[in-house]
Amino acid sequence: MSDTRQLHLGAFMRPVSLHTGAWRYPGAYADANFNFAHIKSFAQKLEAAKFDAFFMADHLAVLNMPVEALRRSHTVTSFEPFTLLSALASVTERIGLVATASTTFDQPYHVARRFASLDHISGGRAGWNIVTTANPDAALNFGLDDMVDHDERYVRAREFFDVVTGLWDSFADDAFIRDVDSGIFFDPEKMHVLDHKGPELKVRGPLNIARPPQGRPVIVQAGQSEPGRQLAAETAEVVFCSPRDLAGGKALYADIKGRLEAVGRKRNDLKILPAAFIVIGDTVEEARQKRLKLDSLVHYDSAIASLSIALGHDASGFDPDAPLPPIPETNASKTGRSQVLKLAEEEGLTVRQLAQRYGGYAGLAFVGTADTIAEEMAVWLNEEGSDGFNVVFPYLPDGLDDVVDKLVPELQRRGLFRTEYEGTTLRDHLGLSRPENKFFR
Amino acid sequence: MSDTRQLHLGAFMRPVSLHTGAWRYPGAYADANFNFAHIKSFAQKLEAAKFDAFFMADHLAVLNMPVEALRRSHTVTSFEPFTLLSALASVTERIGLVATASTTFDQPYHVARRFASLDHISGGRAGWNIVTTANPDAALNFGLDDMVDHDERYVRAREFFDVVTGLWDSFADDAFIRDVDSGIFFDPEKMHVLDHKGPELKVRGPLNIARPPQGRPVIVQAGQSEPGRQLAAETAEVVFCSPRDLAGGKALYADIKGRLEAVGRKRNDLKILPAAFIVIGDTVEEARQKRLKLDSLVHYDSAIASLSIALGHDASGFDPDAPLPPIPETNASKTGRSQVLKLAEEEGLTVRQLAQRYGGYAGLAFVGTADTIAEEMAVWLNEEGSDGFNVVFPYLPDGLDDVVDKLVPELQRRGLFRTEYEGTTLRDHLGLSRPENKFFR
Ligand SMILES: Cc1cc2nc3c(=O)[nH]c(=O)nc-3n(C[C@H](O)[C@H](O)[C@H](O)COP(=O)(O)O)c2cc1C
Ligand SMILES: Cc1cc2nc3c(=O)[nH]c(=O)nc-3n(C[C@H](O)[C@H](O)[C@H](O)COP(=O)(O)O)c2cc1C
């Protein structure tokens, strides 16, 4: 495997896209949140394109936004990830399946079981996006009055990881003998009772599931704070992140990879995959126009609130169709304000267009032809900005088809992406080794 | 729908059978616990035979049995039900999918989401087997030192049901407008915030899932105690039970159906499906021999413990190959003892054979030809012993094939079972109506 020189590609899925205007884009499947047939077709196309993984973000409450934005957003509801990814497991064969599970609002025995089971059902394709859950509304759905404190969430996450990985190792790989003649089904000597008693969690075990085919489902982490990065360095095999640009990507890459040695891990044990919004045209200008058209579908009333937040300044009185007026700099809004100003200048956007950008999707984006985007991606890879990308589709199905039909072949032509899966598990795709059992060697 | 005069058939599945010797039976898939392809083939065969539902029992710990029995039992580990049933949802089209979820060791927000999601993915085929979890080892896997008290478990179960059904009704059926022109995705007036604050649970809501296609996944209950029966009367649409014989079945049927009127429900709103172990031969004698052969695969060391428990008397000193010696009657063991004596007499079994019966599967069984079994089932239906059965296969795949290929056609010939699905949802199969939304009419 020429691992270091090839990109890893995940699909950062929401059924209708992460972009809040996407459901109105011509050809979009506006009902995809609860239309399994659509999502199945997306997963099968991504598998045909040899993507490493299909990733479904997840939230434990209706997203908290002002009602004016909420009623216009398709992100309000969708499938629960385990049911969805398991249903996809039986209609795909190779693509990795990464589900989100919260360490703050779930139990390690449940989480360990579900991922182990998904790993068995999929033949070794499961990944766990460990999140501590940031949305304070989630707490209210689980009996609490207030969100658990940020640091405490990360302390529990670290212990939760130890318990889940310990439970996965409840049985040696060769515990199940199934010897029909002697009548011995399994060897109890090869079953480990975890008996974990920690400050946050008490779990006896053993898990009632055989060791997962991958030994451990792949561990993914997306927290960006200091404790989030440290948790990633200690536990994660893939990091999802959202740098704004190459400089930000390189800084994050250096920071997280730089933490590995101190915890006894190698640089290649962890892959960093920034979220990248990709809009492809036959010309760069066509791609830009597609993006402007998509942004234009975000309603101004909800968009302007997002711009005001980004600016740290109420923008609702500005002329929507004029350029951004001069805005006084305040301490609170320094970074946000300078980003908006930079964007306004680079793309020559009006207030309305800026608002719609922030209300739609304002993260890292590659907008151009298959050729220019492949070139940009190669730069990220070569300059250690990332080990690949977690692709955000601007609208579906067409935006996904463009990536699969145009960008992937261009990446393959350049030797930057596989033309066939070399193995069968998600670990194989990512070039990660199968961990040994903690209790049986 | 000629609902009252037809049987409903569920499959009470364990991947290798509930019978502890089944993995050693000739032709058995001993590895089915973690071989999805096998389970998929079972589900597809049951669907071709027009079964109402595929039901997967579930436990939150390795079953607690003496190690001598444990190491010989294939029931020790298997798939987690949501991942399994979701994977089956995408490779089947009509059969109902009933998963077990515990009200004692899970959170209503999670449970509501997963069943709603499974119902969407499967097009309205989900059912929830509500259990309060009896295995004390489960508590140890969820941070507790002791099992929650039986009554308290049922109090929480009742409130849990209210919360879950309330969350399912978070959105009116027509909340999602998705009007591309106006840009309105959904109508917030048609979203209900539950804001439940009860003695056991506090859950705000709304659920982040659209109302399930069935309105509510079908509610199943299998508790047999007084509070278990009352919970069933108040909430369940299907009752799984395990009477020993027709007299016991009729008593249970009368008891549970008799509770319905007082809680404002009709007799037909709840279907009673006893577990029935079915062994089919071309002659009655052949069926009996199959069963004896299967029982003989249960190891004597684990079998004799089961017999001692059933007798309430240590049987380990008895001559295995002689008839049961006379046993003093004690107060503690009255019912069990008389059942064993009855069985020993009826079938002329030795101590070894009795032990193997109790160590294998000792519940209600129909052993005979397709014809004699269809006749027995008709009697149960006509005498109000049940509304159908939850079929336990003695060994797989052959025992399942016998039911599908021999018994089902015989039931169909007699007009006792459907020859085609009449609807698409599990509610349709069971002749249950779609509940109205509690908050939007
Ligand atoms: C690419 C990406 C994907 C994420 N997916 C989820 C998700 O599915 N569910 C969730 O609750 N949070 C998700 N997050 C949020 C992070 O888990 C985390 O809460 C956030 O980045 C804030 O970091 P911190 O908690 O370390 O402060 C995601 C973040 C990123 C960058
Ligand atoms: C047919 C049948 C299926 C059952 N399936 C499960 C199951 O999947 N998981 C579980 O924990 N208990 C299961 N049980 C046990 C019941 O939920 C219940 O705990 C038991 O019948 C004792 O009743 P009680 O709790 O009302 O005393 C099942 C019982 C029966 C009769």
Side-chain angles (χ1 to χ4, degrees), chain B residues 23 32 55 63-64 73 79 113 172 176-177 218 334 388 428:
Chain B
W23 66 279
F55 159 57
L63 294 184
N64 50 352
S73 170
F79 293 117
R113 278 188 89 201
F176 293 89
I177 309 161
V218 172
K334 226 164 163 177
D428 291 338

Side-chain angles (χ1 to χ4, degrees), chain B residues 226-241:
Chain B
E226 171 58 34
R229 293 175 190 209
Q230 190 55 28
L231 178 69
E234 292 175 17
T235 67
E237 301 174 292
V238 174
V239 165
F240 289 160
C241 52

